[in-house]
Amino acid sequence: MTGKEFIEQYNEGRRDFSGANLHKADLTGANLTRADLYKANLTRANLTRADLYGANLTRANLTRADLYKANLIYVNLTGANLTEANLFGAYLFKVYLEKANLTRADLTEANLTEAILYEANLTEANLTEAILYGANLFGANLIYANLTRANLDKANLTEANLEKANLTRAELFGSNLTRANLTRANLDKANLDKAFLIGANLYGAKGLDLS
C-alpha cells in the first residue's frame, strides 16, 4: 500500500490497518489519529510531523522509520521495533513502549514525560536532552545510551541497566535507581539529589558526587 492509498482510505473512514505493508510509505504530516496499525510494516516509512495521537502500533515494525517531531501522544507501541528510528523532537507523552526495541534510535530532545518504557531495549539510543520526567524505565536496557542533559527527574529506573551510559549533566532528582546497574556509567555533573540508589551497582562510575 502506498502512502497516498493509505491516506485516502483513512480519510474515507477506515481505521483498521492491522498488518498493512507500508514499507517506505510517504506519510509526511499525515493525520493518522487513532489508526489501528497493529503489526503493520512501517520500515523506513516517512512519518515526519505525522499526527498519530492515540494510534495502536502494537508490535509494528518501524525500523529506520522517520518520526521527526511526530505526535505520538498516548500511542501504544508495546513490543514495537523502532531500531534506528528517527524520533528527534517527537512528542511521546504517556506513550506505551513496554518491551519495545529502540536500539540505536535517535530520541534527541524527544518528550517522553510519563512514558511507559518497562523493559524496553534502548541500547546505544541517543536521548540527549530528552525529557523523561516521571517515565517508567523499570528493567530497561540502556547500555551505552547517551543521556547527556536528559531530564530523568522522578523517573523509575529500578533494575535498569545503565552500564557505560553517558549521564553527563543529566537531571535525576528524586529518581528511583534501586538495584540499577551503573557500572562504568558517566555521571559527571549529574544531579542525583534525593535519588534512591539502594542496591545500585556503581562500580567504576565516573564523576559520581553524592555529597
Side-chain angles (χ1 to χ4, degrees):
M1 183 184 296
T2 66
K4 183 179 179 181
E5 290 171 339
F6 177 86
I7 293 169
E8 285 177 351
Q9 290 184 34
Y10 179 90
N11 289 338
E12 289 171 359
R14 180 181 172 185
R15 292 294 179 270
D16 187 356
F17 295 92
S18 301
N21 185 4
L22 291 155
H23 174 64
K24 289 187 177 180
D26 185 2
L27 297 163
T28 305
N31 176 11
L32 307 170
T33 58
R34 303 191 186 283
D36 187 354
L37 289 153
Y38 173 76
K39 280 189 173 181
N41 179 12
L42 288 150
T43 54
R44 296 180 181 268
N46 188 349
L47 290 150
T48 300
R49 298 183 186 274
D51 187 356
L52 288 145
Y53 179 95
N56 179 22
L57 285 152
T58 303
R59 298 177 66 184
N61 189 350
L62 290 138
T63 301
R64 295 188 180 180
D66 191 349
L67 291 145
Y68 174 82
K69 291 196 174 180
N71 180 6
L72 294 156
I73 296 173
Y74 288 114
V75 170
N76 190 345
L77 283 154
T78 301
N81 187 353
L82 290 140
T83 301
E84 296 183 3
N86 178 19
L87 290 147
F88 187 106
Y91 302 95
L92 296 141
F93 178 74
K94 289 193 175 181
V95 69
Y96 293 88
L97 283 158
E98 182 176 343
K99 296 184 180 180
N101 186 356
L102 291 140
T103 302
R104 294 185 297 279
D106 186 358
L107 289 144
T108 303
E109 297 180 16
N111 189 337
L112 290 138
T113 300
E114 297 182 16
I116 306 300
L117 290 144
Y118 179 88
E119 292 187 353
N121 185 358
L122 290 143
T123 302
E124 296 183 47
N126 187 355
L127 290 144
T128 302
E129 295 186 10
I131 300 172
L132 291 140
Y133 179 90
N136 185 355
L137 290 137
F138 183 100
N141 187 350
L142 291 143
I143 295 175
Y144 282 110
N146 186 354
L147 290 148
T148 303
R149 296 186 299 279
N151 183 343
L152 291 148
D153 289 345
K154 297 186 179 179
N156 181 12
L157 289 149
T158 301
E159 297 183 13
N161 190 349
L162 290 145
E163 183 176 354
K164 295 183 179 179
N166 187 355
L167 289 148
T168 302
R169 296 183 182 275
E171 291 293 329
L172 291 147
F173 177 87
S175 61
N176 189 349
L177 288 151
T178 302
R179 297 186 301 280
N181 181 10
L182 289 149
T183 303
R184 296 188 179 87
N186 187 349
L187 292 158
D188 186 39
K189 295 182 180 178
N191 179 11
L192 288 159
D193 189 29
K194 296 187 179 180
F196 297 90
L197 289 156
I198 298 170
N201 185 351
L202 295 158
Y203 177 80
K206 303 173 184 177
L208 185 62
D209 184 7
L210 297 173
S211 59

